[in-house]
Amino acid sequence: MTITPESVVSIHYTVSAEDGTQLDSSEGKQPLTVMLGKRFLIEGLEDALQNKEQGEKFEVDIAPEQAYGQRMDELVQQVPKDMFDGMDVEVGMSFRATTEQGEQSVMIIDVAEDHVVVDGNHPLAGVPLKFEVEVVEVREPTQEEIEHGHAHGPGSGNDH
Ligand SMILES: [Zn+2]
């Protein structure tokens, strides 16, 4: 079966940064099962999957614009230390915060005497990615999956 914009696909994937550092992989796990067209995958990967066949293996380089976006300097902000209410804050800690852009994950990148610098950029913002993909299965969504707007079954994360 050929992948269409509405397919449910199961893929094995390995994603690396430009320098070859492996960032994530489904190796040794169940293939990832997703419904396309619902923004579960980054845009560049979703585009690359179109018209591929079950069983096909391919590699694709994805620019940040088609992945997690470019880094935005305005997402790096200084906040007063007393906002953390005596918490032990350390560089590298991340937490959910409500910002002007809505709720997002931010990471502490600097801790000074009276303030803390937080970075709301996605850790992979600005990073070109290389995906190695194997299309394990391609199928039409079931009626129930269409109603729920996501895939069901092994590897989908939805076991109801
Ligand atoms: Zn469901």
Side-chain angles (χ1 to χ4, degrees):
M1 229 186 137
T2 306
I3 295 175
T4 72
E6 291 83 33
S7 295
V8 171
V9 298
S10 296
I11 57 169
H12 269 305
Y13 67 93
T14 297
V15 54
S16 315
E18 232 171 359
D19 63 3
T21 313
Q22 187 175 311
L23 302 168
D24 192 17
S25 178
S26 64
E27 213 174 302
K29 294 182 265 185
Q30 264 167 348
L32 174 72
T33 298
V34 294
M35 180 183 276
L36 297 185
K38 301 291 178 186
R39 298 181 146 266
F40 291 120
L41 300 176
I42 58 170
E43 196 184 334
L45 182 56
E46 177 129 359
D47 286 352
L49 282 165
Q50 297 304 320
N51 300 314
K52 296 288 193 295
E53 300 285 340
Q54 184 164 309
E56 201 168 336
K57 289 183 186 179
F58 66 94
E59 282 186 16
V60 59
D61 292 307
I62 300 177
E65 292 78 11
Q66 310 295 119
Y68 295 96
Q70 294 290 358
R71 285 187 58 80
M72 290 192 282
D73 291 340
E74 58 269 35
L75 294 182
V76 176
Q77 290 173 329
Q78 273 195 19
V79 296
K81 211 173 188 175
D82 52 21
M83 265 185 58
F84 292 90
D85 216 13
M87 258 170 66
D88 238 345
V89 287
E90 278 177 53
V91 172
M93 276 175 58
S94 56
F95 53 93
R96 306 289 297 173
T98 306
T99 68
E100 284 166 23
Q101 282 79 30
E103 187 174 313
Q104 61 188 165
S105 184
V106 301
M107 185 185 275
I108 295 175
I109 57 169
D110 195 23
V111 179
E113 184 95 6
D114 59 344
H115 70 262
V116 169
V117 183
V118 298
D119 184 356
N121 285 289
H122 189 282
L124 291 179
V127 179
L129 303 174
K130 178 189 277 294
F131 275 85
E132 291 166 61
V133 179
E134 178 185 356
V135 181
V136 179
E137 193 190 351
V138 182
R139 61 175 173 82
E140 299 282 347
T142 64
Q143 193 56 43
E144 191 183 47
E145 286 174 322
I146 292 170
E147 282 164 16
H148 289 200
H150 55 222
H152 291 160
S156 69
N158 300 305
D159 296 321
H160 51 258

